[in-house]
Amino acid sequence: MYLSPEQTKRVVAALAVAVLLGVTIVALLLMPPLEQGVPTSGDVIDELGGRPVYAFSFPETPTPELRRPVSVIVSGGRVYVVDSAAGVVRVFDERGQERSVIGSGTLGTPVYIARDAARGVLYVTDRQRRALVSFTDEGEHIGEVVPRSAAATPSVEATPWAPLGVAVDEQGLLYVTDVAKRHRLLVLKRDGTIVREIAGEQQARTGSGVVLSLEYPNAVDVTADEIWVADSNNRRVVVFGRDGEFRRVITMPGMARGLDFISSEESTRPLVAVVDTLAQDVAVLDATGTVRGTFGEPGAGAGGLAFPNDVAVSADGTRLYVADTGNRRVQVWDIVPAPSARGPEGEPAETSARGRVPYVATAIVAGVVALVIAGVTASAWWRERRVRQEGGPGLIDKASATTGRVRSSATPSARRRCSEAVDRRIT
């Protein structure tokens, strides 16, 4: 079908408007929710030096959803999420974009994960296999770490083990919670050699200090001089020295699972984030173990948690990743500096639309350009229509009414109508 130049211009303009309107709609659909400051209690905002603000959750469609995210760590620019129901570790970047999958076909029911940053080795505990499995950062299966005794720890490896929580210190030593016979904490070398048993039968026989009975210890983490253990079923966090000696107990209102240390320039002192899976919030503890406050609440929306199981803190201490197990996602919260913005205790902090700015700007620009193109095209079409409607009589010159001459610019049909009019006047 032949199109005149004017018709071609209108078609191109219509297509451009359709594309721009499509861009506007897509930008509005992809626009993230308002960043919502989650409810807080205590002095958590003062301690953190900022307000915890919900940023986003991942994975997003069309990335396959998580089935049961139970553990999360952030290291080397990557976020490692253990999906126990899928039997894999999924690797994301810090923006929540999936990069790879580790352990498919090797892991049974993975639970917790740790990374030896110096060597680029991942350690994953597997409840189904009762094993501590190691991988390279690229996902290559290295093998299993099997505890074995040294001269200082005779026959400790004879006790069947069921590793659960795991951490790695700066020297490459592994700290593994064991929930097989007598629940305990093992300190291992990379080859599995037992350096120390804490709160287990061996310590009960040889230790001279206080011996605690752990009940399903989950996460474990290490500072320069202390070992923190989430003693979940006893609803507490137990702190030991690096030498294995008991130091203190921190009672939790619910059930402590995952924990990680917060270190940033904004925080007034070293802090610890502890996920409370029953209270469904995140508690912030100071170095002495005093609970300074909490943030988060039960729910499925922004900042809402459903039986969370783990938490990881970015290296600069300004972002927290929470394994929101019940909601099948990982939530990301930013610590936004706002020392004077603290509202009434227990009230949600104000919302922020900063994450929506690029989407709104794109939608506005595309919408305005589409309206301009549509307006110009419509105006041109209307002028052309008026010319066509008025073109015949308007193109008849006054002189041509008596002489029968028609302007050369008139169309053939106009000339014909004019000639007929002149003939009628003459006759």
Side-chain angles (χ1 to χ4, degrees):
M1 181 180 66
Y2 173 76
L3 296 176
S4 67
E6 290 76 11
Q7 291 174 323
T8 302
K9 292 178 181 178
R10 288 198 295 271
V11 170
V12 172
L15 291 175
V17 170
V19 170
L20 290 169
L21 290 177
V23 170
T24 302
I25 294 172
V26 170
L28 293 176
L29 289 176
L30 294 178
M31 186 169 58
L34 290 172
E35 295 179 347
Q36 176 67 52
V38 296
T40 63
S41 66
D43 300 326
V44 63
I45 293 179
D46 297 332
E47 294 294 328
L48 291 173
R51 184 180 67 247
V53 175
Y54 170 81
F56 62 95
S57 297
F58 65 87
E60 296 181 341
T61 306
T63 304
E65 69 175 8
L66 295 163
R67 293 172 59 187
R68 184 174 170 77
V70 294
S71 181
V72 58
I73 61 169
V74 54
S75 179
R78 291 288 183 262
V79 182
Y80 301 87
V81 182
V82 175
D83 191 335
S84 63
V88 297
V89 176
R90 293 174 62 178
V91 185
F92 301 84
D93 62 24
E94 293 179 333
R95 298 171 299 173
Q97 301 299 311
E98 188 165 25
R99 296 305 179 187
S100 62
V101 177
I102 295 174
S104 180
T106 301
L107 297 171
T109 307
V111 188
Y112 286 99
I113 183 172
R115 180 173 182 265
D116 186 340
R119 299 172 60 233
V121 176
L122 297 167
Y123 295 95
V124 184
T125 58
D126 192 325
R127 288 282 283 153
Q128 179 179 319
R129 297 178 52 183
R130 293 196 168 200
L132 177 60
V133 188
S134 59
F135 299 90
T136 65
D137 280 341
E138 293 72 30
E140 181 182 350
H141 180 213
I142 298 174
E144 295 182 11
V145 177
V146 180
R148 58 189 182 89
S149 65
T153 56
S155 302
V156 174
E157 84 284 359
T159 303
W161 84 324
L164 186 56
V166 60
V168 185
D169 70 8
E170 67 284 352
Q171 300 175 354
L173 290 177
L174 301 170
Y175 297 77
V176 186
T177 58
D178 177 18
V179 294
K181 189 178 179 181
R182 180 182 175 91
H183 296 187
R184 59 183 177 169
L185 172 67
L186 290 178
V187 183
L188 310 172
K189 293 182 179 179
R190 295 166 180 165
D191 62 1
T193 301
I194 298 175
V195 176
R196 184 173 292 107
E197 182 184 66
I198 300 174
E201 291 182 345
Q202 183 70 13
Q203 181 172 330
R205 290 196 299 267
T206 62
S208 58
V210 176
V211 180
L212 290 177
S213 176
L214 301 176
E215 186 72 19
Y216 281 97
N218 271 247
V220 56
D221 209 349
V222 184
T223 66
D225 61 345
E226 291 185 332
I227 306 168
W228 288 52
V229 180
D231 189 13
S232 294
N233 282 20
N234 285 324
R235 298 192 175 192
R236 63 189 183 184
V237 174
V238 183
V239 182
F240 301 93
R242 292 289 285 263
D243 58 1
E245 292 297 317
F246 167 76
R247 291 199 175 179
R248 58 190 176 277
V249 167
I250 304 162
T251 302
M252 301 295 296
M255 181 178 290
R257 285 289 177 85
L259 56 87
D260 199 6
F261 291 93
I262 304 173
S263 177
S264 68
E265 295 179 357
E266 287 76 17
S267 60
T268 57
R269 67 191 78 181
L271 301 169
V272 185
V274 181
V275 165
D276 191 327
T277 193
L278 291 185
Q280 300 181 85
D281 60 18
V282 179
V284 177
L285 286 60
D286 63 22
T288 67
T290 302
V291 179
R292 308 303 303 183
T294 64
F295 62 91
E297 63 179 350
L305 298 168
F307 303 104
N309 201 76
D310 200 10
V311 60
V313 183
S314 62
D316 60 3
T318 62
R319 172 165 282 188
L320 288 84
Y321 298 82
V322 178
D324 188 9
T325 306
N327 287 322
R328 298 185 177 185
R329 62 187 179 184
V330 173
Q331 284 202 29
V332 181
W333 291 334
D334 290 333
I335 306 301
V336 179
S340 62
R342 186 168 182 265
E345 183 173 300
E347 292 296 323
E350 62 186 39
T351 58
S352 171
R354 61 176 184 167
R356 292 185 167 190
V357 171
Y359 298 89
V360 173
T362 300
I364 291 175
V365 171
V368 169
V369 174
L371 288 175
V372 170
I373 294 176
V376 172
T377 304
S379 177
W381 173 82
W382 179 253
R383 286 197 304 269
E384 183 180 346
R385 184 171 180 272
R386 290 289 300 273
V387 168
R388 286 184 176 180
Q389 289 178 343
E390 302 173 1
L395 291 175
I396 302 175
D397 190 79
K398 291 182 179 180
S400 67
T402 56
T403 63
R405 291 181 290 108
V406 181
R407 292 178 60 181
S408 60
S409 60
T411 63
S413 60
R415 292 194 190 102
R416 186 168 54 255
R417 290 196 301 273
C418 291
S419 298
E420 292 174 353
V422 171
D423 291 341
R424 284 195 298 272
R425 286 190 179 189
I426 294 174
T427 58

